[in-house]
């Protein structure tokens, strides 16, 4: 029985046009990754489950796709667990491997495993798909690409400066002007919690603050109160709700709050260093902005936190993010390796470029000329020509079958091939070709050299 | 507890150098795929199990990696099956998705699913990883890339001609001279079985014949006898064991055997057409050869069968293969779609290029110049320069930390960065840079323009 074909929910087929557009974005990102001295690595699609499990919290563990062991996987399974139908307990017995959930943990694993082959600081980039058993929804998929660049083995703030320039270079390269690179610092957030006497409630505090965009000042304060943060504490950080002006002015604004926190002042010093460097080396098209509400899964980050917002004219979540994490490889036994990295959100960047019409017309490398098939004798003549054109870098094809002319012309039209060549007996005798421009209908008869020039 | 990191058997990490070399091969293949008018598609890494299961035989079914359903996957499982620990029966109940096993079945699924968006003949290429739970061994992995180009919707023999030219173009592009493109035709094999009166034993016959390289003439005959093929039948095909000479001479040799088989003569006609076309349009570096023992999983193929052998100086199995299959999409309900396709074996091509030293030295796009870090004041000066160089297309880096000079120089050396720039206070004052060539140790002091020129 023939099956009605479909694909799993949350996954996608990509058509030639979509692949070409995606490759255009990958290419621009890769070009800058390379230009900035990052080196590519690749890791396997699946890792040992022990490498991934427990690294992304309980929610993450649930969303990791597990691979069933091959062969008689139930043989060694505990009968009691089977009878009790305990899926959670059975999983480790029947599944030893799992699909990559992100690129960061595999990178950490790579660094530790290959530490003796690596020169530190190690600047690597990685562009590969990841898989999450998330509920699919608009713009959220179960298979999607991540594009990451990270440096491990240096805590120099010049890295932060470099990554901001890297973001700017990529988005400028994509002609996507007007993106905002938002920056914050974990130490500043810690400082806030410290000065209001809520050091232990750092997470609650920042989770609430992170929602300022969505629920507004009153909403944030309400949530803070619900989490047990006192009215007095909240009033102490009142100034952060009304930060205005440029980077320097905002820094001045939070500096007054953080006077008594050593950690907070250290964060400000770092922000200041970065800001000064960027001011001395202005960005091409992006804008750097301080956003003290930015937290992004705070647990990971120990210093700078980045997030990139699309131009204000486009409604879209963040199109990139990252930050500094001081103990990336500790989970695999290699201590004191400071890391910092950023990521590009391919799918969202794609949507933004599509909406703003920023894909170049030449992005799909389409066939330039189709040779009409008049039969085998003529086809040998045209195939020789097709070959000459290809050697000259012109994408050319022969329609493979001696079908009716109308069908062949329609094929060229549907595939948006701009030119067709008609070469029947008459042309063959004279060593010529009739070149037809599909849009205008214009025709001219040319010899091979002129044909090449006309199509070049 | 820190875990000792490792990866699943049969999978690989790729270092920067390996990624660069692999991308070099992908790039050369892709360049020709595009030049020949093939369009890229991509399909999801996992498909519904029903799409894949039953398409590759029992052995294939066992080697497909299955993905465990998310959540409480045992909930709906049959208790009897659980108690009996019947892994085979439990699998469909707890796993709905499976990792791609090859690119051909997903392509067939794609064509049927998107048939209304596609113009036929449809020339597509696809370069993506596949996964097989095979026993890993030298050169055989559980995750590996396939690079396929196929055409569906035309049974023109010009496709066969094109694919031979495509093979030649790719291997010539890789400077891999001396490959042999072996060709055979399913109809010729059917013809043999027919004329010896063993039509029903076609598979046994060709499986034995396919082993001629390995077990020799006597071995093949012995196996044929064991399969019940008569002495008389074997003597009838005696000439195929002593075929010699060029393509035309070999064709003449088998033609005499196949006189009474209409199918066999049709096969010869097809081979002749292809040979004539290639003779009129000679290959650049590859050689086309007729190999009547070639079968390659005969079941799939209905016409031409291809296999590419590496140059004789290299011990290596086939580095490519393919053929024509007349009913690719039938399994998914779309009848009468003739297809033909070829595949490139990335891993083996990699090994061949490595062995013959054919990777260009420039394949790894390494950083060209490292700026030594003398502290923050100097670093701002050098970062500005790094930026200028990058804008000029020169890969430049600042060593991120103000480490000891020896450490920084050693880093440049280990990473094989050919130049370092020293720019301390003295250079800054004069707007100059001291450029040092790592190999020769030569140094010169230059202004920015001269530095750019020296590194360009």
């Amino acid at each position: 029985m023939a099956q009605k074909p479909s694909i799993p929910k949350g996954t996608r087929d990509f058509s030639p046009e979509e692949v070409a557009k995606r490759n255009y974005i990958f290419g621009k990102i890769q070009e800058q990754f390379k230009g900035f001295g990052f080196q590519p690595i690749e890791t396997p699609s699946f890792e040992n489950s022990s490498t991934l499990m427990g690294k992304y919290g309980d929610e993450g563990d649930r969303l990791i796709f597990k691979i069933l062991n091959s062969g008689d996987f139930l043989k060694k399974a505990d009968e009691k667990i089977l009878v009790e139908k305990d899926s959670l307990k059975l999983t480790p017995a029947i599944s030893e491997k799992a699909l990559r959930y992100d690129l960061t943990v595999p990178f950490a694993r790579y660094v530790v495993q290959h530490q003796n082959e690596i020169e530190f600081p190690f600047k690597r980039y990685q562009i590969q798909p990841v898989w999450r058993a998330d509920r699919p929804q608009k713009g959220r998929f179960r298979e999607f690409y991540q594009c990451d660049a990270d440096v491990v083995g240096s805590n120099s703030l010049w890295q932060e400066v470099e990554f901001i320039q890297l973001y700017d270079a990529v988005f400028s390269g994509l002609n996507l002007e007007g993106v905002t690179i938002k920056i914050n610092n974990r130490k500043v957030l810690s400082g806030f919690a410290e000065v209001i006497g809520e050091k232990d409630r750092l997470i609650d505090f920042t989770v609430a603050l992170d929602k300022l965009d969505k629920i507004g000042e009153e909403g944030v304060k309400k949530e803070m109160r619900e989490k047990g943060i006192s009215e007095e504490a909240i009033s102490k950080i009142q100034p952060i709700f009304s930060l205005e002006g440029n980077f320097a002015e905002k820094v001045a604004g939070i500096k007054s709050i953080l006077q008594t926190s050593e950690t907070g002042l250290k964060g400000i010093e770092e922000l200041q260093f970065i800001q000064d460097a960027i001011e001395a080396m202005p960005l091409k098209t992006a804008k750097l902005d301080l956003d003290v509400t930015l937290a992004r899964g705070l647990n990971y980050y120990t210093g700078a936190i980045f997030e990139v917002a699309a131009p204000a004219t486009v409604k879209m979540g963040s199109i990139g993010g990252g930050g500094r994490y001081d103990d990336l490889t500790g989970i695999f036994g290699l201590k004191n390796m400071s890391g910092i990295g950023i990521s590009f959100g391919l799918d969202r960047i794609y949507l933004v470029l599509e909406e703003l019409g920023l894909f170049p017309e030449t992005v799909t490398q389409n066939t330039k000329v189709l040779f009409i098939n008049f039969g085998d004798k003529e086809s040998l003549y045209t195939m020789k020509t097709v070959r000459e054109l290809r050697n000259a870098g012109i994408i050319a094809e022969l329609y493979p079958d001696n079908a009716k002319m109308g069908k062949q012309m329609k094929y060229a039209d549907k595939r948006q091939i701009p030119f067709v060549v008609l070469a029947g007996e008459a042309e063959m005798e004279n060593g010529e070709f009739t070149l037809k421009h599909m849009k205008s209908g214009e025709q001219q008869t040319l010899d091979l050299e002129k044909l090449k020039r006309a199509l070049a």
Side-chain angles (χ1 to χ4, degrees), chain A:
Chain A
M1 259 304 288
Q3 306 163 324
K4 189 163 172 267
S6 65
I7 52 177
K9 63 179 177 180
T11 69
R12 293 166 286 174
D13 281 330
F14 295 108
S15 70
E17 189 189 335
E18 288 165 334
V19 173
K21 286 178 174 173
R22 287 163 62 87
N23 284 345
Y24 166 75
I25 300 172
F26 286 136
K28 291 287 179 185
I29 294 173
Q30 212 167 5
E31 183 189 327
Q32 297 301 338
F33 281 176
K34 282 181 188 167
F36 276 67
F38 289 86
Q39 299 181 288
I41 68 159
E42 289 181 12
T43 62
S45 295
F46 47 73
E47 296 270 351
N48 293 320
S49 297
S50 57
T51 299
L52 304 184
M53 298 297 283
K55 308 301 188 298
Y56 308 99
D58 291 347
E59 173 73 355
D61 279 358
R62 278 199 303 110
L63 299 184
I64 289 173
F65 278 113
K66 286 101 187 165
I67 295 173
L68 199 55
N69 291 345
S70 304
D72 188 4
F73 56 87
L74 284 179
K75 203 172 168 185
K76 283 181 280 178
D78 187 309
E79 260 129 80
K80 192 161 159 275
I81 292 173
L82 284 175
V83 172
E84 284 171 2
K85 286 185 147 190
D86 190 332
S87 297
L88 206 62
K89 276 193 189 150
L90 185 64
T91 303
I94 64 173
S95 163
E96 285 166 1
K97 293 181 289 289
L99 288 176
R100 188 166 54 209
Y101 181 84
D102 73 356
L103 301 180
T104 306
V105 170
F107 172 52
R109 194 265 310 144
Y110 180 98
V111 167
V112 178
Q113 192 173 332
H114 301 278
Q115 54 185 290
N116 296 326
E117 306 145 36
I118 292 173
E119 298 308 316
F120 294 99
F122 181 45
K123 297 169 76 169
R124 88 84 171 79
Y125 76 85
Q126 195 169 352
I127 300 179
Q128 292 193 279
V130 302
W131 297 268
R132 296 182 184 181
D134 237 327
R135 187 193 303 270
Q137 58 182 54
K138 192 171 179 298
R140 193 205 279 161
F141 304 99
R142 293 187 149 189
E143 173 176 46
F144 58 97
Y145 267 78
Q146 289 194 333
C147 313
D148 284 16
D150 292 77
V151 186
V152 281
S154 160
N155 47 28
S156 160
L157 286 172
W158 288 106
Q159 310 288 10
E160 276 80 344
V161 175
E162 281 244 293
F163 278 116
I164 292 166
Q165 290 186 323
L166 178 54
Y167 267 137
D168 179 52
V170 168
F171 291 117
S172 300
L174 289 166
N175 291 315
L176 181 60
E177 301 187 4
V179 307
T180 302
I181 302 166
K182 295 189 280 185
I183 186 172
N184 195 10
N185 194 301
R186 157 77 176 237
K187 299 186 179 87
V188 165
L189 291 168
S190 298
F192 287 149
E194 198 183 318
V195 296
I196 63 173
E198 300 283 4
K199 228 172 166 175
D200 297 342
R201 290 205 179 89
L202 173 62
I203 302 293
D204 289 339
F205 171 81
T206 50
V207 164
L209 192 59
D210 199 20
K211 294 180 185 162
L212 185 60
D213 267 2
K214 285 177 203 141
I215 59 177
E217 182 178 334
E218 283 317 309
V220 169
K221 286 180 178 169
K222 186 163 166 269
E223 184 168 325
M224 287 182 177
R225 279 182 212 111
E226 283 165 11
K227 295 284 180 187
I229 297 172
S230 73
E231 210 59 49
E232 196 200 334
I234 293 173
S235 73
K236 272 194 190 150
I237 49 134
Q238 179 61 38
I240 67 178
F241 292 113
S242 45
L243 285 181
E244 270 183 12
N246 61 24
F247 201 102
E249 287 160 348
K250 286 185 184 171
V251 169
I254 56 169
K255 201 168 183 175
S256 65
I257 309 174
L258 293 172
Q259 282 309 333
T260 58
S261 162
E262 200 182 324
T263 307
L265 290 175
K266 180 85 180 82
I268 285 186
E269 193 187 311
E270 292 184 10
L271 286 170
Q272 199 60 60
F273 179 92
I274 294 162
Q275 155 68 4
D276 288 348
I278 295 296
E279 210 166 74
M281 294 176 287
L283 302 179
K284 288 177 194 169
T285 64
K287 193 190 144 211
L288 181 67
D289 195 18
L290 176 61
D291 180 354
V292 296
T293 69
L294 187 64
R296 283 185 69 83
L298 181 78
N299 289 345
Y300 298 173
Y301 298 122
T302 53
I305 304 170
F306 299 117
E307 191 165 278
V308 182
T313 50
V314 186
K315 282 209 187 338
M316 184 69 64
S318 73
I319 55 176
R324 181 175 286 278
Y325 37 83
D326 270 343
D327 192 24
L328 172 68
T329 55
I331 38 170
F332 299 113
L334 185 63
K335 299 284 177 196
N336 299 319
M337 269 291 170
S338 186
I340 171 169
I342 63 171
S343 191
F344 289 82
L346 175 83
D347 289 308
R348 286 186 176 174
I349 294 171
Y350 186 106
L351 293 172
V352 170
L353 296 188
E354 196 73 284
E355 186 170 335
L356 297 177
L358 291 177
F359 284 113
E361 270 189 38
T362 53
V363 75
T364 53
Q365 258 194 298
N366 197 7
T367 295
K368 191 133 192 201
V369 56
L370 180 77
F371 283 71
I372 299 299
N373 190 321
F374 287 97
D376 285 343
K377 209 176 74 185
E378 291 84 355
S379 289
L380 183 59
Y381 176 68
T382 53
M383 275 296 275
K384 284 183 182 172
T385 316
V386 162
R387 200 161 162 250
E388 289 258 1
L389 294 178
R390 285 176 183 166
N391 285 340
I394 298 156
I395 307 185
E397 285 180 67
L398 165 70
Y399 189 89
D401 301 283
N402 182 9
K404 281 190 185 143
M405 174 79 94
K407 188 178 175 186
Q408 298 190 45
M409 295 300 281
K410 199 176 148 199
Y411 178 77
D413 186 47
K414 284 268 176 110
R415 278 194 51 200
Q416 299 181 43
I417 298 173
F419 294 96
V420 298
V421 165
L422 303 116
E425 219 165 319
E427 281 90 350
M428 268 179 77
E429 265 168 33
N430 302 321
E432 290 180 335
F433 306 88
T434 298
L435 179 68
K436 179 173 176 162
H437 186 247
M438 289 296 285
K439 232 176 207 162
S440 67
E442 232 171 86
Q443 284 191 196
Q444 40 181 165
T445 300
L446 306 166
D447 65 17
L448 179 58
E449 278 315 306
K450 283 186 186 141
L451 180 70
K452 267 195 206 172
R453 256 174 282 147
L455 291 169

